[in-house]
Amino acid sequence: MLSAITVGLLALAASSEVAAAPQAGATAQKVALQSRVPPKGQTTSVRRKASKSIGVPLDDFFMGTDLQWFGNISVGTPPQTVSVVFDTGSQTLEFASTDCSDCTQPNKFDRSKSSTFKQGRQTTTLDFATGVGVDPVVDNDYVLTVRSGTDTVTVGGISLPAVSLFTIIDQTPKFNIDPFLGIQGMGSQAEGFFEALIREGLPSLFSLFLTPHTDGGAELLIGGIDDTKFQGDLIYADQTGEGDWEVESTQISVNGKTNSILKTRRSVIFDSGTSNILFDTQTTEAMYALISPDIKPFSAEPGAYGLPCSEIGGLPAVIDLTFVSQSGQPFNLTIPSEELNVGPFESDPSTCQTLINAFDGLELVGGSVLKHYYSVWDVGGQRMGFAPNGL
């Protein structure tokens, strides 16, 4: 979260094992995003436009800026539709249930209506490092209380029994804005439904085609790569995270300029559930210094920055993040200037929030980068691929 349960969030506290029992004879099909990882070294062949991959349409949670992308899975017997953010910054499946009186989302999952639901004994608190959309975490205001369980999960017509999951039984009010019920973690190690599909022969990767709300057509493709959705060739870089998706960056430049702080090597997390980008305070302010001296910390929301909305239009703010491909060649992922303005602060509509949040100890990019590229998340090969999506 700066989203993961919209919130593409990074769950810092809590990790639970999600395991799914494989279904015999299942074949890959298009399905909604799922995530988790197969054992390292187990790489299945990757085919472009795999005919049996699973495609899942994604909707865009938009509030003045693109916040998160979410799609549907089904849980239970008979199946109940559960909308989730497919979040590469977290590991588990959790969603709102009728046991949560503080969860205001409609159509919550009702375990009493599923003949295959089994409640577990574990109750866990999940704290998020990033919040809904562009909202920074302040005073630990993004917290879920969840209870373990298992049930049948269905994606793209394929059902798998006894998948480990968590039902949300309490949540802080910040989550009530979400138009979806939960989060499907898609970290760099396969778990849950994705792990079970891999056991049945599905290639151990997924692809994300995240798009601005004005374009639509966003999709998660499990087990395949759709070469109609990007331009040129995919460039692959090694993934170095354990659970998170991380790629080492050699440099950041802003409007074609850099400095000693921005030339520092750093491991950058790619989080599909977060929209803003987060860097330590020193890096954040070094980047803003190359954009405008008028961008200042916004005291009401620690970690956030802004400037008068009257001054932000047309301000050059091209951010290039440099990485090294598996072939040893540097390449850039570029955030265009139009991403700088993420909209006015609710408490001060005359001040517009800017893209980069300060968070010491975290280096993370999200939807503001990913919606300009087609991205491949290769769990078996432990690598990430990128190509411009042309949007």
Side-chain angles (χ1 to χ4, degrees):
M1 266 181 336
L2 236 187
S3 139
I5 219 182
T6 199
V7 162
L9 0 131
L10 230 217
L12 288 187
S15 61
S16 302
E17 201 170 68
V18 178
Q23 172 180 334
T27 54
Q29 315 174 6
K30 270 200 165 184
V31 172
L33 274 200
Q34 315 268 10
S35 79
R36 256 317 118 138
V37 297
K40 224 171 184 177
Q42 177 187 328
T43 310
T44 336
S45 61
V46 177
R47 299 182 318 242
R48 288 190 167 187
K49 297 180 72 173
S51 61
K52 295 184 178 179
S53 56
I54 295 170
V56 180
L58 302 178
D59 290 324
D60 183 356
F61 178 24
F62 180 84
M63 292 185 64
T65 190
D66 301 294
L67 298 179
Q68 276 142 335
W69 290 261
F70 61 97
N72 292 333
I73 61 174
S74 296
V75 180
T77 306
Q80 300 176 46
T81 298
V82 174
S83 55
V84 293
V85 167
F86 296 97
D87 178 28
T88 62
S90 62
Q91 328 279 324
T92 54
L93 170 60
E94 55 262 356
F95 47 83
S97 70
T98 53
D99 294 318
C100 179
S101 59
D102 291 329
C103 300
T104 61
Q105 297 94 326
N107 303 314
K108 293 179 287 188
F109 177 76
D110 187 343
R111 61 185 174 86
S112 70
K113 294 182 179 179
S114 173
S115 62
T116 47
F117 180 85
K118 295 190 184 312
Q119 185 154 286
R121 300 176 181 176
Q122 180 185 5
T123 299
T124 304
T125 298
L126 301 176
D127 304 296
F128 291 94
T130 58
V132 173
V134 299
D135 195 27
V137 173
V138 179
D139 297 329
N140 204 30
D141 56 355
Y142 282 95
V143 180
L144 299 175
T145 302
V146 299
R147 182 178 294 139
S148 63
T150 63
D151 206 342
T152 297
V153 174
T154 303
V155 183
I158 299 177
S159 296
L160 290 164
V163 173
S164 294
L165 49 79
F166 291 89
T167 55
I168 299 170
I169 58 175
D170 194 19
Q171 68 181 23
T172 50
K174 284 283 191 174
F175 283 105
N176 289 335
I177 194 174
D178 293 346
F180 41 83
L181 291 181
I183 303 170
Q184 168 64 65
M186 303 189 64
S188 62
Q189 304 301 313
E191 297 178 10
F193 186 83
F194 186 40
E195 180 184 26
L197 286 175
I198 292 167
R199 289 174 182 165
E200 296 302 318
L202 191 73
S204 55
L205 60 82
F206 58 90
S207 304
L208 280 174
F209 180 57
L210 303 183
T211 62
H213 81 290
T214 50
D215 293 282
E219 183 187 52
L220 166 66
L221 186 64
I222 304 172
I225 299 169
D226 187 344
D227 61 5
T228 68
K229 289 182 165 60
F230 60 88
Q231 301 174 338
D233 296 323
L234 288 159
I235 298 175
Y236 286 94
D238 290 327
Q239 189 290 123
T240 60
E242 298 191 7
D244 298 321
W245 289 91
E246 300 183 29
V247 180
E248 185 177 83
S249 171
T250 57
Q251 175 178 288
I252 300 171
S253 61
V254 181
N255 293 328
K257 299 178 181 179
T258 190
N259 55 41
S260 59
I261 296 173
L262 301 184
K263 285 182 179 178
T264 303
R265 284 182 174 267
R266 66 192 78 227
S267 186
V268 176
I269 296 170
F270 285 79
D271 183 355
S272 64
T274 296
S275 50
N276 274 14
I277 62 177
L278 291 80
F279 289 97
D280 62 76
T281 302
Q282 186 180 43
T283 300
T284 297
E285 295 190 345
M287 295 169 73
Y288 280 140
L290 297 175
I291 299 174
S292 170
D294 296 324
I295 298 176
K296 304 291 185 185
F298 189 69
S299 59
E301 296 185 17
Y305 289 72
L307 79 167
C309 294
S310 60
E311 299 176 17
I312 200 169
L315 196 61
V318 178
I319 299 171
D320 287 306
L321 304 165
T322 303
F323 302 91
V324 178
S325 71
Q326 289 186 313
S327 63
Q329 299 301 308
F331 68 96
N332 288 342
L333 298 181
T334 301
I335 304 174
S337 297
E338 58 263 29
E339 298 293 341
L340 178 66
N341 183 3
V342 300
F345 286 104
E346 184 177 358
S347 61
D348 180 7
S350 67
T351 300
C352 282
Q353 184 178 355
T354 45
L355 175 67
I356 313 161
N357 284 11
F359 193 118
D360 291 328
L362 193 60
E363 318 263 44
L364 178 151
V365 298
S368 57
V369 176
L370 294 171
K371 69 182 178 182
H372 299 288
Y373 294 88
Y374 190 86
S375 56
V376 177
W377 312 67
D378 186 349
V379 173
Q382 289 295 284
R383 62 180 184 167
M384 293 189 68
F386 302 94
N389 61 20
L391 300 178

